[in-house]
Amino acid sequence: MNPVLATDPATLSPIALFLQADWVVKAVMLGLLAASVWTWAIIVMFRVKVGRIRKASERFEADFWKADDIDAFYKANGQADLPSARVLAAAVAEWRRSTHGSTIDREGTRERLATAMGSAVAKEIDELSDRLNVLATIGSVAPFVGLFGTVWGIMRSFTSIASQQNTSLAVVAPGIAEALFATAIGLFAAIPAVIAYNRFSHAINRIEARLNRFADAFHATLSRQLDAER
């Protein structure tokens, strides 16, 4: 790197703006860059995870509704690492507990099945949403952290004016440039986080709706089987 670029106040090089910044603004920039890297890591991992779950769940549910024997299907596929499989497992476990005795409380069994599957759906959605709070936090906080760096840089510029008793633009330009650069990094971290949070929230809502439809349909199947029990 050309050493002149690192110290030339007129350059717009990001490296030069960082190197000539005050240590407080440098800390803000580094924190925002770390938040940006964390954001993109979550975005990539979450996108891959949601895509895998969506495709695998479609296959699982299609195979389930084609199966003639629920018990046989559960033995073969009930341990799959899928939200739909865990909802199925919760329903089967509750069904076995509720129909184990000689007498069956049909209404109570229906309520317990609905509660068990509803709890399983809620647990799956909570686990899927675990990293969304990080995106929401970065999206809402990063602009204000960048603004703090901006305010600090502008204060440093005014301090330079006071100490040098010189109102020339050359005196205040470096501080203002680094201040605005901190704001830009804050937006660079926040905008992808907000967009990803909104998109992934929509994706999770769709997964939740799919799980609820699966749970309702399976509950109806078990309810009909209850009516056939003597």
Side-chain angles (χ1 to χ4, degrees), residues 127-149:
E127 291 181 357
L128 278 176
S129 305
D130 184 50
R131 289 290 182 266
L132 288 188
N133 63 327
V134 176
L135 294 179
T137 300
I138 292 175
S140 60
V141 172
F144 293 101
V145 176
L147 182 61
F148 170 75

Side-chain angles (χ1 to χ4, degrees), residues 60 64 70-71 73-75 77-80 82-99 108-124 211-212 214-216 218-219 222:
F60 180 89
F64 173 78
I70 293 177
D71 286 332
F73 181 88
Y74 174 70
K75 288 178 182 178
N77 304 282
Q79 302 304 315
L82 287 173
S84 300
R86 285 186 281 271
V87 172
L88 173 65
V92 171
E94 183 56 44
W95 171 265
R96 290 174 176 174
R97 285 192 296 266
S98 297
T99 59
T109 299
R110 289 188 178 95
E111 291 179 4
R112 287 190 292 273
L113 284 170
T115 300
M117 286 190 285
S119 297
V121 170
K123 180 181 178 182
E124 294 301 319
L211 286 175
N212 282 326
F214 176 73
D216 290 343
F218 189 38
H219 184 274
L222 294 177

Side-chain angles (χ1 to χ4, degrees), residues 47-60:
R47 185 178 180 84
V48 171
K49 183 178 182 180
V50 169
R52 178 188 63 82
I53 288 174
R54 185 177 64 251
K55 293 179 181 178
S57 295
E58 289 175 358
R59 291 193 299 268
F60 180 89

Side-chain angles (χ1 to χ4, degrees), residues 2-229:
N2 188 340
V4 176
L5 294 179
T7 57
D8 181 6
T11 184
L12 293 178
S13 167
I15 296 176
L17 291 173
F18 174 79
L19 291 177
Q20 70 190 21
D22 181 78
W23 67 270
V24 174
V25 182
K26 284 182 179 177
V28 169
M29 292 179 180
L30 291 174
L32 290 172
L33 287 174
S36 180
V37 172
W38 194 6
T39 295
W40 282 105
I42 293 174
I43 289 172
V44 172
M45 290 187 295
F46 204 90
R47 185 178 180 84
V48 171
K49 183 178 182 180
V50 169
R52 178 188 63 82
I53 288 174
R54 185 177 64 251
K55 293 179 181 178
S57 295
E58 289 175 358
R59 291 193 299 268
F60 180 89
E61 293 175 26
D63 293 341
F64 173 78
W65 294 118
K66 292 177 183 177
D68 296 326
D69 189 335
I70 293 177
D71 286 332
F73 181 88
Y74 174 70
K75 288 178 182 178
N77 304 282
Q79 302 304 315
D81 185 19
L82 287 173
S84 300
R86 285 186 281 271
V87 172
L88 173 65
V92 171
E94 183 56 44
W95 171 265
R96 290 174 176 174
R97 285 192 296 266
S98 297
T99 59
H100 181 69
S102 57
T103 59
I104 300 175
D105 179 8
R106 288 177 171 80
E107 291 305 316
T109 299
R110 289 188 178 95
E111 291 179 4
R112 287 190 292 273
L113 284 170
T115 300
M117 286 190 285
S119 297
V121 170
K123 180 181 178 182
E124 294 301 319
I125 297 303
D126 283 343
E127 291 181 357
L128 278 176
S129 305
D130 184 50
R131 289 290 182 266
L132 288 188
N133 63 327
V134 176
L135 294 179
T137 300
I138 292 175
S140 60
V141 172
F144 293 101
V145 176
L147 182 61
F148 170 75
T150 300
V151 172
W152 188 272
I154 292 175
M155 289 172 57
R156 182 168 170 249
S157 297
F158 284 122
T159 302
S160 298
I161 292 174
S163 62
Q164 299 183 28
Q165 296 183 352
N166 186 348
T167 59
S168 171
L169 186 60
V171 174
V172 299
I176 294 176
E178 71 191 42
L180 296 177
F181 187 51
T183 300
I185 296 177
L187 295 175
F188 180 77
I191 291 173
V194 172
I195 294 174
Y197 176 82
N198 291 333
R199 292 296 301 167
F200 291 149
S201 294
H202 177 66
I204 287 178
N205 288 339
R206 292 183 63 184
I207 292 174
E208 182 178 13
R210 186 183 190 92
L211 286 175
N212 282 326
R213 288 194 300 269
F214 176 73
D216 290 343
F218 189 38
H219 184 274
T221 300
L222 294 177
S223 182
R224 286 191 296 270
Q225 189 168 338
L226 272 176
D227 291 337
E229 294 286 340

